[in-house]
Amino acid sequence: MAETWIRLLGPPRIESPGASPPQPRGRKAWAVLAYLALQAGGTGRSRTAGLLFPDAADPLGALRWNLSELRRTLDGVTMAGDPLRLEMRPPWRCDAVELVGPGPVPRPDPYSLNGQLLEGLSFVDCPVFDSWLADQRYRLENCAQSVLYESSVSAMASGDPRQAAELASRALQRDPFHTDCNAVLVRALVAIGEHRHAREHVSKCANLYRDELGLPLPPEIRTALSGAAPETDPGIPATVATVRSYLDAGGASLSAGAVDRGLDQLRLAVVLAQRTPDRHLLAESLVTLAGAMIHQAGGRGAEVADFLHRALTAESPSAVAPRAVAPSDKYDGGSPTAAAAYRELGYLSVQRGVPDRAAGWLDRASAAAAGFPDEQARVLAIQGMLASDTARYGDAMDALTASAKLAREMRNRRQQAFSSALLGRVLLLRGELDLAAKTLDHALEWIAAEHWTAFEPFVAGVRGETYLAAGDLEAAAEMIDRSWVMADLAGDHCYMALAAGAEARLFLAHGDLAAAQHWVDRGMEPKPWYLWYSARLLDVAAEVALAARSERAEEVVERLGALASRSGMREFVVRAQSHRAVLGDETAAQAVPWLAKEVENPALTAFLAARGQL
């Protein structure tokens, strides 16, 4: 049966091979279709009618007419019920749905990802919908960029550097400053043997970063030129025993704080594992190395992603990947190694602010972790982190509570501390301060018992903000100062941004706007990998700028709005619109109460009510 496509990316159209299918009439019909397509859980009829037909004498009647028009042209696509849901069955497919869908939907062809959502259509007569559309355009562009990047890494891991180069080049047409895509392109060119072209691209990147951003070339791009594996003593036999020995030695070095030595030992384990016929051992070695790079060395780039994709290929050697689709999309067996690889890919996507892609990786991780409670606890924790970042706080609390329970049963105190600390963050954001304080204090006790100083800056910073929200400024200052000092000593960019934002909130509470701005500026310097920290810092920066009546206020608010929209951080989208409304934006003022209804958070409701925006 020939596929019939609903194309919402680029100029909207219905496509069917060898036919000229009827097209919906009118931009409002397309708007209804796009809105329903991107509301996976459905949406109320009255809410949809009010959004798209605010000036109609009969908004529900206008909605019914447009639904009838869509049913006329989309025979076989269901749009019914209240809440309204869009359901498609073969031969129907929709590019936007497949781009953001986390479940087992077909994955989009990366070569087909062109154009903005509803490109060429404008809805100035529906200001709130126009605001929603702008947010979704950011979101889908971010997803498309991520699909291209992941597909290029997958192609490299599958041994197709030419396709990797082509996909990375496509991604760079969208964003020439994407460090990881530049690194993949250089590595792919080296693998093909085009060394001169690779060197020229590195030089071009250096000029681009210097001239356009005033920044040096990211080291990941330069190091991609070499890509040489570490040399091993030819006398060392490539056996399971030697690989295990290097894995054990690497783990011991990392535990002792010798990170560089530990990573070298794990790299050697990978080199030796590649020489054995044991594919599972290779997968385990790659995942162990990738995990160490992520959690001990702050690795977030293409090299780490390549290790994880290679691990999935090794763990599932029978999976033959179709064009530009990772072997990971085919793997459906239970394996803690595969689960860990999926989880780390999900974790990287969470930190990069690509929640739709993260959800897909974590769904696969959850399936592969079935029967392995230790790994299930880890996956649930990252799912809770993702739900928290996207302001799905009920889901976050459920996942993190389940994770902490499993960790307690497995006597994994570090995982219990991690999950509980993230749960404490959710409770703080919701204004449930007593429960947040109790949860975070338990996490601090477990951290002390484990001597896990690397994680303490996060928990201390969140606990300090809990004191601050409760009005205990003295206790808040003690905790927040400790968080900053420990984060600064460790050089952890994410925790530095967290602590600096907490310091800014503390001084804002004291009314010292100059000191608050000083801490905002300090927090902006490290450029954290985890974009939620950037958004939270920009939020307090906006509050400081508004309080100081600073000329920077509009710029800061726009940066927050763009980041929040691109990364699906729904509460920060609302807060950005709230700040715009304070600056006099009438459209934003109309959007705030509509958007706020989608976020169930008493603390946010109280914040907006205090500003008179509900």
Side-chain angles (χ1 to χ4, degrees):
M1 183 182 296
E3 294 175 337
T4 303
W5 280 91
I6 299 172
R7 299 289 188 187
L8 298 177
L9 304 179
R13 62 208 181 276
I14 308 301
E15 287 183 353
S16 184
S20 298
Q23 305 290 319
R25 293 177 297 185
R27 60 192 176 90
K28 288 295 182 72
W30 284 111
V32 170
L33 180 57
Y35 186 63
L36 294 181
L38 293 171
Q39 301 293 318
T43 179
R45 284 178 176 259
S46 295
R47 182 174 174 80
T48 306
L51 175 69
L52 283 161
F53 309 100
D55 299 325
D58 180 8
L60 283 170
L63 175 61
R64 285 193 297 271
W65 187 92
N66 279 275
L67 288 172
S68 176
E69 170 65 13
L70 289 171
R71 294 186 188 107
R72 179 186 68 82
T73 56
L74 307 178
D75 185 29
V77 175
T78 303
M79 288 162 284
D82 192 4
L84 271 170
R85 284 187 172 84
L86 180 135
E87 296 180 3
M88 293 180 296
R89 291 180 295 276
W92 288 97
R93 296 177 68 179
C94 176
D95 53 4
V97 170
E98 294 186 6
L99 181 58
V100 302
V105 298
R107 304 268 42 104
D109 177 1
Y111 292 95
S112 70
L113 299 176
N114 298 299
Q116 286 189 326
L117 178 66
L118 299 187
E119 189 171 300
L121 299 187
S122 177
F123 299 88
V124 292
D125 56 329
C126 306
V128 178
F129 177 78
D130 210 35
S131 177
W132 175 88
L133 180 60
D135 289 340
Q136 294 302 307
R137 283 172 172 168
Y138 275 121
R139 172 194 175 193
L140 268 68
E141 172 63 23
N142 195 28
C143 277
Q145 179 77 359
S146 185
V147 166
L148 284 166
Y149 164 61
E150 290 173 3
S151 297
S152 67
V153 174
S154 173
M156 279 294 294
S158 300
D160 191 347
R162 291 191 182 279
Q163 188 185 38
E166 185 178 350
L167 290 163
S169 296
R170 281 178 172 263
L172 290 170
Q173 291 172 9
R174 294 170 174 264
D175 179 8
F177 298 102
H178 195 296
T179 300
D180 294 332
C181 286
N182 278 302
V184 172
L185 178 56
V186 172
R187 291 178 61 244
L189 292 171
V190 170
I192 295 168
E194 297 186 13
H195 298 280
R196 181 178 61 82
H197 191 178
R199 290 192 296 272
E200 288 175 351
H201 186 75
V202 170
S203 178
K204 175 185 172 183
C205 285
N207 293 335
L208 187 67
Y209 275 83
R210 182 189 64 242
D211 296 343
E212 299 294 329
L213 301 179
L215 295 173
L217 179 71
E220 300 96 313
I221 300 176
R222 190 176 303 282
T223 56
L225 270 175
S226 58
E231 295 184 3
T232 60
D233 185 334
I236 300 176
T239 65
V240 172
T242 55
V243 173
R244 291 281 176 207
S245 296
Y246 274 106
L247 288 175
D248 291 343
S253 296
L254 292 171
S255 296
V259 175
D260 290 341
R261 180 174 177 78
L263 291 177
D264 286 343
Q265 290 164 332
L266 294 179
R267 287 181 185 276
L268 288 171
V270 168
V271 171
L272 291 170
Q274 288 172 327
R275 300 176 188 168
T276 74
D278 190 334
R279 307 302 293 169
H280 173 74
L281 181 64
L282 174 59
E284 183 182 345
S285 301
L286 286 163
V287 169
T288 302
L289 173 58
M293 292 178 68
I294 292 168
H295 301 291
Q296 267 82 32
R300 299 293 187 276
E303 184 184 24
V304 169
D306 177 62
F307 289 151
L308 294 169
H309 280 274
R310 284 168 56 193
L312 288 165
T313 301
E315 187 73 350
S316 181
S318 62
V320 178
R323 182 173 175 82
V325 178
S328 49
D329 285 338
K330 293 287 184 181
Y331 188 89
D332 57 5
S335 158
T337 300
Y342 287 135
R343 168 175 50 81
E344 296 291 21
L345 286 165
Y347 178 73
L348 293 175
S349 293
V350 169
Q351 294 216 323
R352 292 202 320 268
V354 196
D356 299 293
R357 301 301 297 165
W361 290 122
L362 294 172
D363 281 353
R364 297 185 185 101
S366 182
F372 307 102
D374 230 6
E375 186 55 42
Q376 285 177 312
R378 297 186 183 98
V379 173
L380 281 164
I382 308 306
Q383 288 178 321
M385 177 188 289
L386 171 61
S388 173
D389 288 0
T390 53
R392 292 174 172 82
Y393 297 121
D395 293 341
M397 289 189 289
D398 289 345
L400 293 168
T401 300
S403 174
K405 180 176 182 292
L406 274 174
R408 183 175 66 251
E409 292 171 356
M410 299 302 296
R411 299 184 179 179
N412 186 339
R413 200 155 47 182
R414 285 200 176 196
Q415 184 61 52
Q416 193 175 357
F418 182 80
S419 302
S420 296
L422 288 174
L423 178 59
R425 184 183 76 165
V426 175
L427 294 167
L428 165 66
L429 295 174
R430 286 178 51 82
E432 299 179 39
L433 302 182
D434 290 342
L435 189 52
K438 181 179 178 181
T439 303
L440 292 164
D441 286 341
H442 283 315
L444 285 169
E445 291 171 7
W446 295 322
I447 286 169
E450 289 288 311
H451 305 289
W452 194 13
T453 56
F455 189 53
E456 188 177 349
F458 171 82
V459 189
V462 178
R463 183 66 179 97
E465 289 208 48
T466 308
Y467 278 121
L468 177 59
D472 190 342
L473 302 190
E474 185 175 344
E478 183 178 338
M479 273 288 183
I480 292 170
D481 287 348
R482 179 172 178 79
S483 174
W484 169 260
V485 170
M486 295 186 72
D488 189 34
L489 288 172
D492 190 300
H493 293 195
C494 295
Y495 297 158
M496 289 168 71
L498 170 75
E503 294 279 13
R505 285 185 174 80
L506 177 63
F507 282 100
L508 185 60
H510 281 294
D512 189 340
L513 298 181
Q517 184 60 54
H518 165 77
W519 279 106
V520 165
D521 293 339
R522 291 193 73 174
M524 295 287 186
E525 291 172 7
K527 297 186 178 4
W529 303 288
Y530 185 7
L531 292 184
W532 186 87
Y533 291 123
S534 294
R536 187 155 168 81
L537 185 60
L538 285 168
D539 185 44
V540 70
E543 291 194 49
V544 172
L546 289 171
R549 300 180 185 275
S550 169
E551 296 179 353
R552 299 174 57 184
E554 188 171 344
E555 175 200 346
V556 172
V557 171
E558 289 309 308
R559 286 176 62 190
L560 172 62
L563 175 59
S565 297
R566 186 170 67 247
S567 303
M569 300 177 191
R570 298 186 308 154
E571 178 161 339
F572 286 124
V573 169
V574 177
R575 295 178 74 90
Q577 294 286 40
S578 171
H579 298 323
R580 288 185 180 118
V582 172
L583 289 168
D585 187 327
E586 289 299 323
T587 298
Q590 294 178 49
V592 167
W594 186 84
L595 290 169
K597 287 181 180 178
E598 294 188 343
V599 180
E600 199 282 301
N601 183 357
L604 176 64
T605 301
F607 171 79
L608 298 175
R611 284 185 163 183
Q613 295 175 339
L614 290 181

